[in-house]
Amino acid sequence: MYDPAVGDPDAGIDPETAFEDIPDDWTCPICGLGKDVFVPVED
C-alpha cells in the first residue's frame, strides 16, 4: 500500500507525493509490481 504521507524514499519518491505523480516506471519495493496494477482504496 502506497502512503503519500511517507512516499517511497528508497525509490526517490518524496513524502507528500500523490500516487498519480509517481513516475509510470515505478515498482513496489515489496512485491515488485508496477504502478499499473494498483487501485485506490478508501480511507
Side-chain angles (χ1 to χ4, degrees), residues 16-40:
E16 303 304 323
T17 300
F19 187 75
E20 52 272 358
D21 294 333
I22 294 173
D24 290 335
D25 63 350
W26 175 86
T27 57
C28 173
I30 296 171
C31 67
L33 294 175
K35 179 180 173 182
D36 60 328
V37 300
F38 286 82
V39 294

Side-chain angles (χ1 to χ4, degrees), residues 1-9 13-19 22 26 43:
M1 178 180 271
Y2 175 75
D3 183 353
V6 176
D8 183 4
I13 308 297
D14 293 328
E16 303 304 323
T17 300
F19 187 75
I22 294 173
W26 175 86
D43 288 337

